[in-house]
Amino acid sequence: MTAVRLLGLDPGLRFTGWGILEADGNRLRHLADGVIATDSAMSVPDRLCALHQALSALIESFKPDEAAVEETYVNRNGTATLKLGYARGVALLVPALAGLPVAEYGAKHVKLSVVGTGGADKEQVAMMVRRLLPGATLKRADASDALAVAICHAHHRATNNAWMKGKVMA
Amino acid sequence: MTAVRLLGLDPGLRFTGWGILEADGNRLRHLADGVIATDSAMSVPDRLCALHQALSALIESFKPDEAAVEETYVNRNGTATLKLGYARGVALLVPALAGLPVAEYGAKHVKLSVVGTGGADKEQVAMMVRRLLPGATLKRADASDALAVAICHAHHRATNNAWMKGKVMA
């Protein structure tokens, strides 16, 4: 089995966490992580453009083979959910435009896969991400969830092809 | 004042209505309208790609000067709102990537501007769109709201520049 390069994304209009790892069977290797921030003083269309351009540049630089996007739940209000939807739409679109298969995983499913319990908190996720990916410094906390969804995808892609059929793993 | 070409969009993941008109001061002229449908059997990333490509082709063909997007309210549930958000995100992104100024108008505001009351129903909006744009056949009902938001923008752009600052007219 040859190594595949996976891009994990935890999208948001304000901050989109990203992480890239290489999976070679069960062996995972951290390559890079970070956060794309958009300026809340800019209009929403301009912020979506900025997100689009940053994601396109990431994909061009790191040339990942597959992408995985976290499906976060929001129970605040319609406007907040709609705005999260804009960012997720762009996060799903850009890798697909680049020809990458894109998998989606629910937040609980990511936690279950990485920590072993769907109710894990952010610190537990970050701790397990550091343990599974020794190189990850996680200077920026938002990148932790992005690496977690990439790890979750690395586990699933080896054993399960449901994601290939566009099914969200909730 | 020279004529400007306006693209109106009423986005949705299943159906995105679009309409193009030319505004020359107070005079409006219908150019084209239609609906972009995406296949619900496809994965969400592939549907967003299809929407992106159809919108890009529209902009390339008709070369509009400005775009206006309807902000629909959804009170169903989080998942439905999130999916609407994906489509709206792409509808805001594609014209912005093409360098067009993009205005957003709330559904009530569009109705108020086109029919004279924020509580107008779909038939009243379609009737007024036909009256204001004699060439519009509106064979596809979804295109009516897209032309309505373009008309709303034509009214506003002449008198108000708030939309230029990225403000949503609710």
Side-chain angles (χ1 to χ4, degrees):
Chain A
M1 197 178 193
T2 52
V4 289
R5 198 169 276 204
L6 307 180
L7 167 64
L9 294 172
D10 179 25
L13 191 55
R14 184 81 190 86
F15 297 111
T16 292
W18 61 271
I20 297 190
L21 55 81
E22 244 170 26
D24 192 351
N26 283 330
R27 290 173 53 195
L28 302 179
R29 190 166 72 91
H30 173 264
L31 286 184
D33 63 74
V35 173
I36 300 163
T38 72
D39 182 353
S40 57
M42 284 164 47
S43 73
V44 169
D46 285 347
R47 293 171 78 179
L48 295 175
C49 271
L51 179 56
H52 175 279
Q53 278 154 7
L55 287 174
S56 301
L58 263 185
I59 291 172
E60 206 176 337
S61 300
F62 290 99
K63 303 196 189 325
D65 301 296
E66 295 170 11
V69 181
E70 178 160 331
E71 191 181 53
T72 326
Y73 286 88
V74 196
N75 294 315
R76 277 175 295 170
N77 59 62
T79 305
T81 307
L82 206 57
K83 282 194 176 175
L84 176 64
Y86 303 166
R88 285 204 78 232
V90 174
L92 294 168
L93 173 70
V94 176
L97 282 176
L100 275 63
V102 183
E104 297 178 75
Y105 298 94
K108 271 190 192 167
H109 194 86
V110 172
K111 289 174 183 176
L112 192 66
S113 175
V114 173
V115 184
T117 163
D121 62 23
K122 273 198 172 292
E123 283 66 36
Q124 286 174 290
V125 172
M127 198 192 70
M128 279 306 293
V129 167
R130 277 198 201 87
R131 187 169 300 175
L132 293 166
L133 300 174
T137 53
L138 300 183
K139 281 177 196 158
R140 286 165 283 202
D142 298 80
S144 167
D145 286 342
L147 285 168
V149 72
I151 293 168
C152 171
H153 181 54
H155 292 166
H156 272 85
R157 65 183 303 285
T159 56
N160 188 323
N161 284 319
W163 68 275
M164 290 291 284
K165 300 177 191 80
K167 190 169 167 284
V168 181
M169 306 297 285
Chain B
M1 196 176 191
T2 53
V4 288
R5 199 169 275 203
L6 308 179
L7 167 64
L9 294 172
D10 179 25
L13 191 56
R14 183 82 189 86
F15 297 112
T16 291
W18 61 272
I20 296 190
L21 56 81
E22 244 170 27
D24 193 350
N26 283 331
R27 290 174 53 195
L28 303 179
R29 190 166 72 91
H30 172 264
L31 286 183
D33 64 74
V35 173
I36 299 163
T38 72
D39 182 352
S40 57
M42 284 165 45
S43 74
V44 169
D46 286 346
R47 294 172 78 179
L48 295 175
C49 271
L51 178 57
H52 175 277
Q53 278 152 8
L55 287 174
S56 301
L58 263 184
I59 290 171
E60 206 175 337
S61 299
F62 290 99
K63 304 197 188 325
D65 301 297
E66 294 170 11
V69 180
E70 178 161 331
E71 190 181 56
T72 326
Y73 285 89
V74 196
N75 294 313
R76 278 175 294 170
N77 59 62
T79 306
T81 307
L82 206 56
K83 283 193 176 176
L84 176 64
Y86 302 166
R88 286 204 78 232
V90 174
L92 294 168
L93 172 70
V94 177
L97 283 176
L100 276 62
V102 183
E104 298 180 74
Y105 297 94
K108 271 191 193 168
H109 193 87
V110 173
K111 289 173 182 176
L112 192 67
S113 175
V114 174
V115 184
T117 162
D121 62 24
K122 272 196 172 294
E123 285 65 37
Q124 286 174 289
V125 172
M127 198 191 69
M128 280 306 292
V129 168
R130 277 198 202 87
R131 186 168 300 175
L132 292 167
L133 299 174
T137 54
L138 300 183
K139 281 176 195 159
R140 286 166 284 204
D142 298 81
S144 167
D145 286 343
L147 285 168
V149 71
I151 293 168
C152 171
H153 182 54
H155 292 167
H156 272 84
R157 66 183 302 287
T159 56
N160 187 322
N161 284 318
W163 69 275
M164 291 290 285
K165 299 176 191 80
K167 189 169 167 286
V168 180
M169 305 296 284

